[in-house]
């Protein structure tokens, strides 16, 4: 089973934790406070880059709108975000927040429009490039998204390149560019050995290639960090079956059953 998963990472939040690699792509979303990129306890963040001359009132509007957004008060958050955009038509952060609100409402087209407007305002901003690339990838345009991750990585101020590399790897995999996916996941892991999207991506990729010992090594690292990840446990069981260690496979399946009763077990055939 190939994982179609990615992780929308850093300064950011996971769009759908526990799902496939594409569903795990990381996107930078608004938060009222500054923060670092993280996969484990992600936060929403707006960037101040390129907006030093923006009125303080706009920053306050965005901070208030972000708080409302995080509280689930979308109508009020949108009203303040649009006020901020009216006060500063070149606020990429306002567009980013409006995109996040649109996503929460299930309006992918509107979200994409706002992400696109943010990169048009500040094309060198890595956060905006990552977000737009992530949106493209999640909306059936994986090959087109790859250039945007390259742009994110070209931003010297981008704080967590491992996040963009993990996204790029997942989207390259989705686009059928497995060699590129492997290269970018390995780069991400060189920077951040505990990068879960890259570990899961490499485990699935090596399994699909029949490189079961390598797949085992990545799966073990993955599960050491996320021991109750159902997809990881299922893949680990399948790897052990391919390697002929049915006892190890049963242990993984027992762990899977314990956290997900009624879950489908991997086949016993080799």
């Amino acid at each position: 089973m190939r994982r179609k998963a990615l992780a929308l990472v850093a300064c950011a939040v996971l769009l759908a934790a526990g799902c496939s690699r594409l569903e795990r792509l990381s996107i930078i979303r608004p938060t009222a406070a500054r923060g670092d990129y993280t996969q484990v306890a992600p936060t929403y963040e707006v960037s101040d880059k390129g907006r030093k001359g923006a009125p303080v009132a706009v920053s306050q509007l965005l901070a208030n709108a972000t708080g409302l957004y995080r509280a689930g008060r979308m109508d009020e958050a949108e009203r303040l975000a649009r006020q901020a955009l009216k006060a500063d038509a070149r606020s990429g952060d306002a567009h980013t927040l409006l995109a996040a609100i649109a996503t929460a409402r299930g309006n992918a087209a509107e979200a994409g429009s706002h992400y696109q407007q943010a990169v048009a305002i500040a094309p060198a901003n890595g956060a905006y490039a990552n977000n737009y690339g992530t949106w493209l990838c999640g909306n059936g345009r994986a090959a087109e998204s790859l250039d945007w991750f390259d742009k994110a990585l070209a931003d010297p101020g981008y704080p967590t390149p491992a996040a963009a590399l993990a996204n790029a790897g997942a989207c390259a995999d989705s686009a059928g560019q497995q060699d590129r996916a492997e290269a970018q996941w390995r780069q991400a892991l060189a920077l951040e050995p505990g990068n879960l999207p890259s570990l899961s991506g490499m485990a699935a990729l090596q399994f699909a290639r029949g490189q079961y010992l390598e797949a085992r090594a990545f799966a073990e690292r993955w599960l050491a960090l996320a021991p109750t990840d159902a997809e990881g446990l299922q893949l680990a069981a399948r790897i052990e079956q391919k390697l002929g260690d049915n006892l190890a496979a049963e242990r993984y399946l027992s762990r899977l059953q314990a956290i997900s009763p009624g879950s489908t077990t991997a086949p016993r055939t080799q």
Side-chain angles (χ1 to χ4, degrees):
M1 174 187 68
R2 277 306 293 279
R3 289 164 56 92
K4 287 184 178 180
L6 237 219
L8 303 171
V9 290
C11 284
V13 348
L14 300 181
L15 293 184
C19 297
S20 65
R21 272 197 306 282
L22 283 178
E23 291 169 333
R24 290 181 181 175
L25 280 173
S26 290
I27 202 159
I28 296 173
R29 297 185 180 178
T31 186
R34 299 293 300 179
D36 294 327
Y37 282 90
T38 175
Q39 299 264 156
V40 177
T43 58
Y44 290 91
E45 181 172 353
V46 285
S47 165
D48 292 327
K49 184 174 181 178
R51 299 186 58 255
K52 293 181 179 178
V56 173
V58 172
S59 297
Q60 188 59 56
L61 282 169
L62 286 173
N64 292 342
T66 294
L68 291 166
Y69 163 78
R70 297 183 71 192
R73 295 161 64 180
M74 300 300 171
D75 290 346
E76 295 167 89
E78 180 183 9
R79 179 176 59 80
L80 291 186
R82 291 197 181 279
Q83 285 183 27
L85 193 58
K86 184 176 180 179
D88 180 5
R90 294 188 58 76
S91 172
D93 290 346
H95 280 296
T96 298
L97 180 52
L98 287 167
I101 292 167
T103 298
R105 290 171 168 166
N107 193 333
E110 182 180 343
S113 175
H114 283 297
Y115 286 133
Q116 187 173 29
Q117 289 178 79
V119 294
I121 289 167
N125 185 302
Y128 299 161
N130 176 76
N131 287 353
Y132 187 47
T134 292
W135 181 87
L136 288 168
C137 186
N139 285 274
R141 298 160 68 180
E144 187 180 345
S145 74
L146 299 178
D147 286 344
W148 290 98
F149 295 121
D150 288 343
K151 290 176 182 178
L153 292 163
D155 178 358
Y158 197 66
T160 53
L165 285 164
N167 283 354
C171 294
D173 186 46
S174 181
Q177 299 181 36
Q178 277 70 45
D179 288 345
R180 176 169 179 164
E182 178 178 7
Q184 298 202 291
W185 281 327
R186 287 190 184 278
Q187 288 178 58
L189 290 168
L191 293 172
E192 184 183 297
N195 187 282
L196 284 172
S198 298
L199 289 172
S200 63
M202 286 298 299
L205 180 62
Q206 297 303 337
F207 179 82
R209 288 173 168 173
Q211 302 294 323
Y212 302 123
L213 287 174
E214 278 203 62
R216 172 195 271 170
F218 284 111
E220 287 175 346
R221 289 169 62 186
W222 172 9
L223 289 170
L225 295 168
T228 60
D229 188 309
E231 191 173 357
L233 290 168
Q234 190 171 56
L235 179 60
R238 298 183 72 208
I239 292 168
E240 294 304 332
Q241 287 173 346
K242 290 293 186 182
L243 289 169
D245 191 340
N246 289 322
L247 287 177
E250 286 293 340
R251 286 195 294 270
Y252 282 121
L253 292 176
S254 294
R255 288 168 58 184
L256 177 63
Q257 183 68 19
I259 63 167
S260 182
S263 59
T264 303
T265 59
R268 293 178 178 277
T269 59
Q270 297 297 316

